Amino acid sequence: MTKDVIALTPKMPDLPTLLAGLYAGGPDLGVNTTADGAVVQLCAPDGRPLVSVEAPILVQVPGETTRLLNHAVGDGPVWWTEARASTAVAEAGRLAGSFAGRLATVLGGTVWPPEAATTDVVPLTTDVSAIPAPATTAPAVDVLTAGTAVVIQDRPLIALTSWLSDALRTAATSDRALQIVTPPTTRLTLPTRTALRGLPNRWVVQDPEHGYYDGLSGAVLHWKNGTFTPVLDEQGATKVAEAFTPTPDTGDRQLILTLRTRHPADENIVLGRALETAFQHLTGAPPAGWSTAEPVNLPWSTRQLTELARARAPRPTWLVAVGQPDRPALATVRVLRTPAGVEEDITLAIGYGGDGTPPLDTIEDLAAELDAEHGLVTLLTSLRAARRDLTVPSRLEPPPIPVAFTLGHDETERISRARAEHLPQGPKPARLGPTLRPVLHYSLGDGTDAQAWATFQHLIQHLKQT
């Protein structure tokens, strides 16, 4: 399995310190850079990468090391320097651990996982000339075929790091699937789950007793023609792994808001305010931070977020935001330019334990405020039985159940208020906001009856008719 080792230090690793760490294998190994200098690699004498080190990230958002690594650090910002060892060379994992241990020794701080830390010189004894050269220079990719990029991970929690994000983007650009292979104890963060949700990308679980299966669907998989594909039974149906059992209901719940906002494309636009309002309304505080990958490293700032999206336009911008450490809350945002303006597609998930109650009675007030102040187009509110910490296990989880659907006033007028208010079957909408320009809010249930999905589908079909 891949060995990922992270040095967490209060001081920034400068170039001399990085080089001192990289020479953990002695003077015979070489050092080079890739990705325009963003990745430094420790290489065997033949140039084969052994350890790849990403540029250090200053994590200024509290709680991120605990959320992603279950590894607490002291108060204040921390520099996150991640090393990824080659899976092809036996010594590479120990070299990564020695690199991280040396950084932590020189700069203060800690290493994750703690047992990987060392400052020993690790001699290269493997005959690398007998090992086939890797088919890719991408540090995150372990196996590359004509149709698939395979990433092998052994971390307890797979976050959508810049390593993984780059691998996903590169795979998509080359018309390849990205498939992540993990042990069955691994979980995904919600951003990673979202990134792998659409085929041909897959989360491949390697179970020692049951072989390979898809961690999101349970489909039994096998390696065929350079990719992991489902195993079919005699009737041509996909087999489901025995290990893909339902998660026990612990009483934990996730409140999920899926909303779209639309703004005029002018120089005064400020993005992120709808998300900030939803966070404030449901958690009592704005987001703690945001970033374009995990760990989330930047303090929350609608101004900086807007500047990034403007600089990338007309290309879409994707980002993730997290809440305060005491309240599991995580959101993804996609900003895109459309003929109608600038739109934000937002998914916000908030976790509640068995002793917590999702505030469903406040959704109407939130919807009215989002419409009045932030250009609400639609809002779908759902509830699901799932982990409070918002992570995704490789087991069968029940889908979210719709609780309410809201149409912003502009979208109501576009559809026709008469059509939107008069359904042949289903719920009668409540009017929110101004009488002449109302928001229509459809109550679908309390999040416990799966029949709400059928009601929601009938509603959407009715609204789409012209």
Side-chain angles (χ1 to χ4, degrees):
M1 282 290 187
T2 297
K3 299 296 183 182
D4 295 338
V5 186
I6 303 167
L8 301 163
T9 59
K11 298 178 182 179
M12 178 181 177
D14 56 14
L15 184 58
T17 306
L18 289 172
L19 290 175
L22 284 167
Y23 281 115
D28 293 336
L29 303 185
V31 176
N32 65 22
T33 61
T34 62
D36 297 324
V39 176
V40 181
Q41 293 181 325
L42 174 64
C43 300
D46 67 348
R48 183 190 312 270
L50 302 174
V51 177
S52 299
V53 180
E54 194 172 27
I57 301 170
L58 179 60
V59 179
Q60 304 174 68
V61 179
E64 277 297 271
T65 61
T66 300
R67 180 177 75 89
L68 297 179
L69 304 176
N70 194 26
H71 185 88
V73 297
D75 296 334
V78 62
W79 287 92
W80 175 301
T81 308
E82 187 160 343
R84 181 176 173 84
S86 167
T87 56
V89 180
E91 294 87 356
R94 288 188 290 129
L95 283 168
S98 183
F99 163 80
R102 291 176 177 218
L103 257 63
T105 299
V106 173
L107 302 173
T110 61
V111 172
W112 179 91
E115 64 272 13
T118 179
T119 58
D120 297 341
V121 173
V122 182
L124 181 62
T125 59
T126 299
D127 181 8
V128 296
S129 64
I131 301 173
T136 174
T137 59
V141 176
D142 297 286
V143 178
L144 188 70
T145 70
T148 302
V150 178
V151 175
I152 303 173
Q153 291 271 273
D154 63 353
R155 294 161 79 145
L157 183 64
I158 308 299
L160 192 62
T161 61
S162 56
W163 296 99
L164 198 52
S165 181
D166 287 344
L168 183 67
R169 183 166 47 252
T170 301
T173 301
S174 60
D175 292 325
R176 288 182 170 94
L178 181 71
Q179 298 182 340
I180 302 178
V181 181
T182 76
T185 54
T186 293
R187 290 168 286 117
L188 307 183
T189 65
L190 285 180
T192 307
R193 184 191 192 283
T194 300
L196 295 177
R197 184 162 49 195
L199 293 176
N201 300 327
R202 286 190 186 277
W203 176 17
V204 181
V205 176
Q206 185 179 15
D207 189 283
E209 296 182 3
H210 301 281
Y212 296 98
Y213 66 92
D214 190 301
L216 299 179
S217 70
V220 176
L221 303 173
H222 61 167
W223 183 257
K224 184 178 181 180
N225 298 328
T227 192
F228 284 100
T229 60
V231 176
L232 305 181
D233 61 20
E234 296 178 355
Q235 287 72 42
T238 301
K239 293 183 178 180
V240 177
E242 294 180 10
F244 195 69
T245 56
T247 54
D249 188 352
T250 62
D252 287 3
R253 294 292 183 270
Q254 293 177 8
L255 178 63
I256 303 171
L257 275 64
T258 306
L259 63 141
R260 169 169 286 197
T261 64
R262 184 178 296 133
H263 318 274
D266 60 43
E267 61 182 11
N268 298 317
I269 187 173
V270 178
L271 301 172
R273 287 180 173 172
L275 179 60
E276 184 176 83
T277 296
F279 259 90
Q280 189 74 51
H281 193 92
L282 296 170
T283 72
W290 73 286
S291 185
T292 57
E294 295 177 293
V296 174
N297 66 311
L298 300 172
W300 177 250
S301 170
T302 55
R303 177 185 59 82
Q304 292 180 345
L305 187 159
T306 303
E307 289 175 352
L308 175 67
R310 181 178 287 118
R312 291 186 172 185
R315 294 172 299 162
T317 294
W318 182 94
L319 58 94
V320 58
V322 295
Q324 301 296 330
D326 61 343
R327 163 54 66 197
L330 184 66
T332 59
V333 182
R334 186 169 182 263
V335 180
L336 59 160
R337 184 73 166 86
T338 71
V342 178
E343 298 187 354
E344 295 175 280
D345 285 335
I346 301 169
T347 300
L348 168 61
I350 305 172
Y352 298 86
D355 57 349
T357 303
L360 300 180
D361 57 345
T362 69
I363 297 300
E364 289 190 13
D365 291 340
L366 172 60
E369 184 175 354
L370 290 173
D371 183 76
E373 303 292 338
H374 305 298
L376 178 68
V377 179
T378 59
L379 167 62
L380 174 63
T381 304
S382 305
L383 198 63
R384 73 180 304 178
R387 295 174 61 107
R388 178 182 183 271
D389 65 8
L390 306 179
T391 63
V392 182
S394 58
R395 299 180 66 178
L396 178 62
E397 289 191 307
I401 297 176
V403 172
F405 181 70
T406 310
L407 280 179
H409 72 261
D410 282 344
E411 191 70 2
T412 298
E413 294 301 321
R414 186 190 68 80
I415 291 172
S416 159
R417 192 192 305 178
R419 168 171 291 280
E421 287 190 311
H422 298 91
L423 281 67
Q425 57 180 329
K428 179 178 177 59
R431 293 186 177 188
L432 311 177
T435 303
L436 296 180
R437 294 172 63 82
V439 178
L440 297 186
H441 183 79
Y442 305 84
S443 294
L444 302 173
D446 62 0
T448 61
D449 185 359
Q451 182 60 33
W453 271 117
T455 304
F456 175 63
Q457 290 169 352
H458 287 311
L459 170 62
I460 296 302
Q461 290 171 359
H462 174 77
L463 296 176
K464 286 184 175 180
Q465 292 176 1
T466 56

